[in-house]
Amino acid sequence: MSEGAAERLRLEQELRSALPLDELMLEYQPQVGLPDGGLCGVEVLCRWNHPRLGLPAPAHFLPMAIDIGLIDQLDLWVLEHACAQLVAWDRGGFRVPRLAVNLSVHRIQSDGVLEQIQSILARTGIDPRLELELIEASIMERPARTIANLEQLSALGIGLAVDDFGTGCSSLACIKRLAIRRLKIDRSFIERLMTGSDDEVIVQAVIGLARSLGLVVLAEGVETIAQAELLIREGCDEAQGYFFGKAVGPAELASRYCSRKT
């Protein structure tokens, strides 16, 4: 227990130093349209190039960032660098239709979120291709503050998507009020699609719900051709996962898609 506590403390100290030491980096996972597989967006994923541990999973250090009060600073760093990268791709002749960035619950509920995001958009010169992904459960935490902030962000032309849909208890009234554009089916349902479980029925229901509400539905964690074919048959609009492409650095992503045009 003592060794575990010491390692935790050491990691916290190292994480505090990660931004000033330039140890954080961004990767981008393709989001593709179905059935053609054309690029319709990218999701931004934060990586920590740790000097001792290599590349620890985000689930290993992002909760720690919340615990030590670093998540606000990390959110803004990710958003600004991702927006700057979108502009850099444009200048290089590679146009990404949509930039999807996860936003923490704390950032959504903070008082200065609108001004901070407006400032980043102004500094980077990005046009309205930004989409903020919100964990389903976060929408219902302090709903009055959350909804007020999200309505203001939506008014700026920023898209809103519900991430990990099906794992929380969303209010459909909130989803309609917030002008949500996209529902993302949680990967836990996708990975069990071909196992004879009830997950196929759940996926069908989510796709039907999204269609009835006029929303786009995106499936996360697609790893096999069988999963992709089932989603296409059910009318899923978009997908992401290893089957369509893992998260990669900005140069590799541009090279991958630009080479397909030649």
Side-chain angles (χ1 to χ4, degrees):
M1 290 178 62
S2 177
E3 290 176 358
E7 176 63 13
R8 163 81 184 198
L9 182 60
R10 183 179 182 184
L11 278 174
E12 289 179 359
Q13 294 170 338
E14 291 171 339
L15 184 55
R16 291 182 189 278
S17 302
L19 277 175
L21 292 178
D22 200 27
E23 293 174 355
L24 297 181
M25 62 182 187
L26 299 181
E27 291 186 331
Y28 303 85
Q29 185 168 38
Q31 297 176 328
V32 304
L34 298 177
D36 63 346
L39 183 69
C40 57
V42 296
E43 180 178 2
V44 182
L45 302 171
C46 185
R47 305 295 193 219
W48 183 10
N49 189 13
H50 194 284
R52 292 187 299 115
L53 304 177
L55 292 173
H60 188 60
F61 68 88
L62 290 181
M64 188 183 301
I66 296 172
D67 292 342
I68 64 177
L70 193 64
I71 194 64
D72 283 355
Q73 185 180 354
L74 184 58
D75 271 348
L76 294 176
W77 183 90
V78 169
L79 183 59
E80 178 143 12
H81 282 72
C83 288
Q85 181 58 59
L86 189 67
V87 173
W89 278 326
D90 283 350
R91 291 172 177 164
F94 173 48
R95 183 172 176 82
V96 173
R98 182 178 70 238
L99 182 73
V101 181
N102 290 277
L103 206 62
S104 70
V105 179
H106 192 270
R107 173 54 51 198
I108 295 167
Q109 296 170 348
S110 63
D111 290 330
V113 62
L114 181 66
E115 293 76 14
Q116 289 167 334
I117 292 179
Q118 282 181 309
S119 177
I120 289 173
L121 298 181
R123 284 198 300 273
T124 57
I126 186 176
D127 59 22
R129 281 178 283 160
L130 176 64
E131 183 169 271
L132 300 178
E133 296 191 350
L134 322 166
I135 299 298
E136 183 181 7
S138 71
I139 296 175
M140 300 310 298
E141 293 187 23
R142 298 174 64 192
R145 170 64 61 82
T146 301
I147 290 172
N149 284 349
L150 291 178
E151 285 179 334
Q152 290 180 308
L153 291 171
S154 181
L156 295 176
I158 296 172
L160 303 175
V162 179
D163 201 5
D164 298 340
F165 189 78
T167 61
C169 299
S170 293
S171 163
L172 296 182
C174 287
I175 288 177
K176 290 183 67 177
R177 178 179 172 184
L178 288 172
I180 297 290
R181 296 179 185 175
R182 205 172 320 278
L183 298 183
K184 297 186 69 177
I185 305 175
D186 186 66
R187 65 179 63 248
S188 63
F189 299 115
I190 304 303
E191 67 186 12
R192 296 193 296 265
L193 272 183
M194 317 309 295
T195 63
S197 66
D198 293 333
D199 294 275
E200 184 174 342
V201 176
I202 295 173
V203 169
Q204 291 172 339
V206 173
I207 293 172
L209 172 65
R211 183 170 291 118
S212 66
L213 293 175
L215 306 178
V216 176
V217 61
L218 184 152
E220 297 182 278
V222 180
E223 297 187 352
T224 69
I225 189 171
Q227 292 169 344
E229 289 175 343
L230 188 149
L231 291 166
I232 291 170
R233 289 196 303 271
E234 296 299 334
C236 186
D237 301 295
E238 299 174 353
Q240 70 183 87
Y242 276 23
F243 179 72
F244 298 104
K246 65 178 183 178
V248 295
E252 184 175 344
L253 183 79
S255 176
R256 178 190 302 173
Y257 281 93
C258 289
S259 65
R260 293 183 183 182
K261 297 179 182 178
T262 59

